[in-house]
């Protein structure tokens, strides 16, 4: 039976973060608001700065990195969940839920009363994961604000009443 853990990445962990982010963009480029080429061009300093002032988590399966999720302050008491990805062979084993638990815990510890995210239309597995963690759609879908002009997405939000005493963050 596999053992899963999560921990926050620090600027010194930039190489691991870069490797996982590039793996995510290679595996599912249509799900992200960036491109592999754009992120491959980032410098070490840019990767390190990305890990400052945010909660960027890595999941490990039996010690092997298998997923990432980030939570970024967006405005006072509001954060955005970004860059959630689990490697294909680890999907369906609860890794996404562990990453969301870590990210939501970080948001709560930092005084956030709302966490937002966007999901590509048709990414039903992601929408189900987020719904199990208390996120609800906030608007009809529309064109994505990135280079993939044919990609459509919609917003989801989780508010304070769900952060405290709402649905379990364990996904059950």
């Amino acid at each position: 039976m596999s053992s899963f853990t999560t921990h926050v990445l620090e600027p010194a962990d930039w190489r691991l973060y870069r490797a996982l982010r590039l793996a995510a963009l290679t595996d599912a480029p249509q799900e992200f608001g960036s491109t592999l080429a754009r992120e491959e061009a980032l410098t070490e300093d840019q990767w390190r700065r990305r890990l400052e002032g945010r909660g960027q988590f890595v999941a490990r399966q039996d010690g092997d990195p298998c997923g990432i999720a980030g939570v970024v302050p967006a405005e006072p008491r509001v954060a955005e969940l970004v860059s959630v990805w689990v490697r294909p062979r680890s999907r369906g084993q609860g890794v996404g839920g562990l990453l969301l638990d870590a990210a939501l815990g970080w948001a709560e510890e930092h005084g956030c009363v709302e966490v937002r995210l966007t999901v590509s239309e048709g990414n039903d597995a992601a929408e189900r994961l987020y719904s199990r963690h208390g996120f609800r759609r906030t608007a009809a879908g529309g064109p994505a604000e990135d280079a993939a002009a044919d990609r459509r997405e919609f917003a989801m939000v989780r508010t304070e009443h769900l952060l405290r005493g709402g649905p379990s963050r364990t996904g059950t």
Side-chain angles (χ1 to χ4, degrees):
M1 178 167 213
S2 291
S3 166
F4 296 98
T5 60
T6 60
H7 70 272
V8 70
L9 294 174
E10 302 294 334
D13 300 316
W14 73 272
R15 285 183 183 89
L16 173 59
Y17 176 48
R18 180 183 190 276
L20 290 168
R21 178 70 174 154
L22 297 181
L25 289 164
T26 299
D27 173 57
Q30 72 283 358
E31 302 302 335
F32 298 100
S34 188
T35 65
L36 181 61
R38 185 181 308 147
E39 303 227 355
E40 283 178 324
L42 295 177
T43 67
E44 174 183 338
D45 189 54
Q46 289 170 310
W47 285 105
R48 286 177 178 274
R49 281 197 315 264
R50 279 187 170 191
L51 293 172
E52 294 173 355
R54 72 190 290 172
Q56 184 65 52
F57 295 89
V58 63
R60 294 180 181 270
Q61 181 176 15
D62 299 325
D64 187 28
C66 64
I68 53 173
V71 61
V72 181
E75 53 192 72
R77 300 179 49 112
V78 177
E80 290 185 22
L81 184 67
V82 297
S83 306
V84 178
W85 175 78
V86 175
R87 71 179 175 199
R89 71 178 182 267
S90 297
R91 293 177 186 156
Q93 299 180 52
V95 177
L98 288 172
L99 286 165
L100 261 62
D101 286 347
L104 292 170
W106 186 96
E108 189 172 340
E109 289 169 12
H110 287 80
C112 295
V113 296
E114 181 176 288
V115 179
R116 302 173 185 159
L117 60 87
T118 58
V119 181
S120 295
E121 286 186 356
N123 191 345
D124 298 335
E127 183 176 6
R128 285 191 304 272
L129 171 66
Y130 300 137
S131 293
R132 285 193 307 268
H133 282 75
F135 287 88
R136 301 291 174 252
R137 280 190 186 221
T138 61
E145 296 181 24
D146 63 25
D150 60 340
R151 186 169 73 93
R152 295 180 58 80
E153 60 188 20
F154 58 90
M156 297 183 83
V157 66
R158 180 179 165 134
T159 57
E160 183 175 37
H161 75 279
L162 294 173
L163 286 171
R164 300 182 196 278
S168 163
R169 286 199 317 242
T170 64
T172 56

